[in-house]
Structures are given as structure tokens and as C-alpha cells.
Amino acid sequence: MPYGENNAATWLGRGSNLEWQGGFYARYDHFTLNFRPQVAWQENRAFIVPRYVTRWRRTGRPPTGRSTAASSTAPTALDPNPFWTFDWGHTSLRADYGNLSAGFSTEPMWWGPAVRYPLVMSNNAPGFPRLHLGTRGPVGVPYIGTVEFTWTVGWPQDSKWFKYPNPYHRQQRLFNGFNLTWSPSFAPGLYLGWTRAYHQFVSEGSLFSNLFAIYDPTQKDVLVTRGG
């Protein structure tokens, strides 16, 4: 079965899979521009599918009005035809001042303690447009050690392979995440991290009120009603 991992926007189907990445890097004073989009062509040839795989998982089109454990966003094939993919990839515009950095980016994020499967964010899918504010690297704090942090607000998009008739699934999405890492001075080589992330639907007109939800000290408990 064709399978790929940590390939960002590229889908590795059966047959020929071609990928191009390229661009330029420029820096002036406190500003840095990195332009490196990702273009891929997937032949996506047919292959024998085990009988236990349902029809919609072969074609990548889930049934409407159904919500089951099997209806995950993990089809065995994305449509039966070859297709092109364009993604902005590792493109970013950043402003740096001292140890602080802020800007806009479409780069995939890698959050979590793992080599292949980080717990929060990875490059197993393409990145999404986001704003970020954080440190450029470890910042030394006397008697404490070094500290790094990143605050990110982004706008993920629905995959074109999974379209639901329910308008609830077509609302604007918001990702709000904060990542903090501390390396104590008394234990060189030890890193302790704290990450908090929200991925939520945002109703129209309430985007700004959700930007600082990540700093809410209370626990978020949401009851989700599944259709079907």
C-alpha cells in the first residue's frame, strides 16, 4: 500500500512522485524573507485494495451524514487520477530585534518530544498561514538557565478531499498555540517543555476574542455533538 510520512504537501501514491522545492533567501537589517514553495506531481496509479477497506476509503470521499470511528481523514487513495500539488512550503517573512522574532509563515511546525511522531504538530501535512511571536533561540536568565518560547496564531484550511454538506465543517478554523521550553542551569542537557494548543471553529465576527484564548487559566471543556 502506498504510504508516506513527514512529506508536508507531497502525497506519495503508487507510481511516479516528483517534487520540486526552490526559492531564495534575503535579509536586510532586522527583516528576513525566505521564499521556498513546494510543487509536486503524483501519478497516483491504481492498486489492489484489501476487501476490508470500504469503497469511500479507496476513493478518498467519505459518506455524507455519517460519523463513525472508520471515517477518519486517512484515505488509501486521493482520487483515481494524477494530480498536481502547490504549497507555499517554507515561506516566511520575519522581523528580528535582539532575541525576539515576529512574523508571518507557512512553514510546517514541529512541536513535541519525538523524532518521527511529535505529539502536537509535525510536517506530516503542509503548514498553514500563521503569525508568530517568540525567541530566536535560547535566552539566558541568571540563576535559572535558558528559556525559549513561541506563540502562534494560524488559520488551517479544510482538505479539498473531504467536503461535508454540514455547514458546521465549513466554518473558519483557528489554531492558537504556545510552546515554552526551559533548560535549568543546574542540569545542562535537560529540557522541560510546556505546550498548549487550541484548534477550534471560530464563528463570524469573533476572531479577535479568540486570539488570547490560549492564556485562559481555566480548563477548556467542550461537548461535541457528532452527526449521523
Side-chain angles (χ1 to χ4, degrees), residues 142-161:
Y143 308 107
I144 294 179
T146 60
V147 176
E148 300 177 73
F149 79 90
T150 301
W151 176 30
T152 295
V153 177
W155 294 267
Q157 302 294 322
D158 286 342
S159 169
K160 67 178 181 179
W161 306 106

Side-chain angles (χ1 to χ4, degrees), residues 169-226:
H169 295 278
R170 294 194 294 269
Q171 296 185 51
Q172 185 179 20
R173 298 173 182 265
L174 178 70
F175 175 85
N176 200 342
F178 188 85
N179 193 359
L180 175 66
T181 303
W182 170 47
S183 179
S185 57
F186 56 83
L190 174 64
Y191 292 88
L192 303 175
W194 178 79
T195 298
R196 194 182 197 192
Y198 291 166
H199 187 182
Q200 62 196 77
F201 292 106
V202 180
S203 59
E204 186 177 356
S206 62
L207 178 60
F208 183 79
S209 62
N210 288 274
L211 292 180
F212 300 97
I214 198 68
Y215 301 106
D216 190 336
T218 60
Q219 181 178 354
K220 293 291 184 181
D221 294 321
V222 178
L223 177 63
V224 178
T225 302
R226 297 184 181 273

Side-chain angles (χ1 to χ4, degrees), residues 3-228:
Y3 192 69
E5 294 180 329
N6 302 330
N7 299 296
T10 302
W11 161 266
L12 297 181
R14 180 171 180 261
S16 300
N17 300 276
L18 307 178
E19 177 185 348
W20 296 268
Q21 292 192 45
F24 61 88
Y25 169 89
R27 181 173 177 83
Y28 176 76
D29 200 10
H30 298 289
F31 297 93
T32 302
L33 172 64
N34 187 46
F35 179 73
R36 199 181 88 186
Q38 181 180 8
V39 181
W41 181 79
Q42 293 90 181
E43 188 175 8
N44 198 23
R45 296 172 57 189
F47 56 93
I48 298 176
V49 180
R51 287 184 296 175
Y52 62 82
V53 178
T54 59
R55 179 187 63 81
W56 73 264
R57 284 180 64 84
R58 305 182 197 192
T59 61
R61 299 185 182 92
T64 59
R66 181 187 300 179
S67 179
T68 64
S71 59
S72 65
T73 55
T76 55
L78 298 182
D79 210 51
N81 304 311
F83 61 93
W84 286 88
T85 300
F86 174 82
D87 186 74
W88 292 105
H90 291 262
T91 298
S92 63
L93 177 61
R94 182 177 88 233
D96 301 326
Y97 184 78
N99 290 321
L100 292 178
S101 177
F104 173 82
S105 175
T106 61
E107 299 171 310
M109 294 184 290
W110 192 274
W111 285 13
V115 176
R116 296 183 63 185
Y117 305 112
L119 300 178
V120 184
M121 301 292 293
S122 76
N123 61 354
N124 198 50
F128 48 83
R130 58 186 175 89
L131 300 173
H132 67 270
L133 172 66
T135 55
R136 300 177 60 186
V139 178
V141 180
Y143 308 107
I144 294 179
T146 60
V147 176
E148 300 177 73
F149 79 90
T150 301
W151 176 30
T152 295
V153 177
W155 294 267
Q157 302 294 322
D158 286 342
S159 169
K160 67 178 181 179
W161 306 106
F162 298 92
K163 294 299 183 183
Y164 292 83
N166 189 339
Y168 177 77
H169 295 278
R170 294 194 294 269
Q171 296 185 51
Q172 185 179 20
R173 298 173 182 265
L174 178 70
F175 175 85
N176 200 342
F178 188 85
N179 193 359
L180 175 66
T181 303
W182 170 47
S183 179
S185 57
F186 56 83
L190 174 64
Y191 292 88
L192 303 175
W194 178 79
T195 298
R196 194 182 197 192
Y198 291 166
H199 187 182
Q200 62 196 77
F201 292 106
V202 180
S203 59
E204 186 177 356
S206 62
L207 178 60
F208 183 79
S209 62
N210 288 274
L211 292 180
F212 300 97
I214 198 68
Y215 301 106
D216 190 336
T218 60
Q219 181 178 354
K220 293 291 184 181
D221 294 321
V222 178
L223 177 63
V224 178
T225 302
R226 297 184 181 273

